[in-house]
Amino acid sequence: MTSSPSVAQVNEPTSLTIGELSRRTGLSPALIRVWESRHGFPTPTRLPSGHRRYSEADVDLIAGVLRRRDAGIRLDVAIAEAAASTPPESPSVFAELRRKHPNLAAHRLRKSTLLALSWAIEDECCSRATRGLVIGGFQHEKYFRRSLSRWNEIARVAKTTWALAEFGHEPRDDELPVRVPLAEDAPMRREWAVVCDSPDYPAALTAWELPGQTTVPDRHRIFEAIWTVDARAVRDAARVCAQVAHTAGVAEAGAVLYTLAEDPPARGLDPAATTTLFNRVVAYVDSVN
């Protein structure tokens, strides 16, 4: 790994104010806010001041919704169809979270600490998640093979389980977790990710490896990482992975994208669940460091 997957995408401007979006689409600012509140659409980028900013893609999305609505399709269905038809702006989980959720802090962590975070999230997926979507980004097949027994167990309890990596063979349709082959130039080839999109347990972890560490022992390699239990941020991470899977030709990815089109309720874990996750992280950090 030689560079961050996120710098170019994260710094792309989203220059339209809500007033400009209103003029471009014919919707009043008040109605745009109502749609955002009720349907999670459109999704603005928030400046540090709290002001909304929109992109040209939002103009096209709203135009698509209006066309569907005028054709007689119910508004919520029109919004879901339009959102599902448009891929995330970045094929990188790290970049998408930095772009859409700039409030999420990035931390530099050793690989051993990342392993502890990943294992804690995976354990909670097995013990708490109700038939959710669970995705792992492994970069290379050798890293996936080291975690295969854990992910076989996750696949038994999750509704959908994908493993994204550079695979040296054509994945079989009957393999679980479903293998998602990454192209040589795919940004996700440079990323570590664990995403659990479930109504009762949303959690996501993503990281990229800092360059210039060829002589650093494996467990001490440094990554820049983001993790969150915010349901909307987790949904954005899941959408990126689903789009990557769809591009890779995974048969079920189109249907998954459709189910991910709407935003979930904006809530995180309850205090008891958060404490359990924290305790798991502490235990694993203590054992691997």
Side-chain angles (χ1 to χ4, degrees), residues 162 170-173 178-183 241-254 257:
W162 295 336
E170 188 69 24
R172 300 196 316 267
D173 292 339
V178 173
R179 276 63 159 175
V180 179
L182 297 175
C241 295
Q243 184 61 46
V244 170
H246 184 64
T247 301
V250 174
E252 63 182 337
L257 271 172

Side-chain angles (χ1 to χ4, degrees), residues 53-70:
R53 289 295 182 269
Y54 301 88
S55 68
E56 291 293 331
D58 292 315
V59 176
D60 295 336
L61 276 175
I62 291 175
V65 170
L66 294 176
R67 285 194 299 270
R68 288 173 170 85
R69 188 191 64 179
D70 292 345

Side-chain angles (χ1 to χ4, degrees), residues 174-190:
D174 60 345
E175 288 182 306
L176 291 178
V178 173
R179 276 63 159 175
V180 179
L182 297 175
E184 186 174 351
D185 60 349
M188 290 297 295
R189 283 274 292 269
R190 302 192 293 272

Side-chain angles (χ1 to χ4, degrees), residues 205-222:
L205 165 68
T206 178
W208 65 278
E209 184 177 352
L210 299 181
Q213 301 188 75
T214 55
T215 62
V216 178
D218 184 63
R219 286 292 182 95
H220 295 288
R221 284 156 42 208
I222 302 298

Side-chain angles (χ1 to χ4, degrees), residues 250-289:
V250 174
E252 63 182 337
V256 171
L257 271 172
Y258 186 84
T259 65
L260 297 175
E262 293 189 13
D263 281 341
R267 60 181 179 83
L269 294 175
D270 62 67
T274 304
T275 300
T276 300
L277 178 60
F278 177 77
N279 289 340
R280 287 188 188 275
V281 172
V282 171
Y284 277 128
V285 167
D286 186 63
S287 67
V288 301
N289 286 318

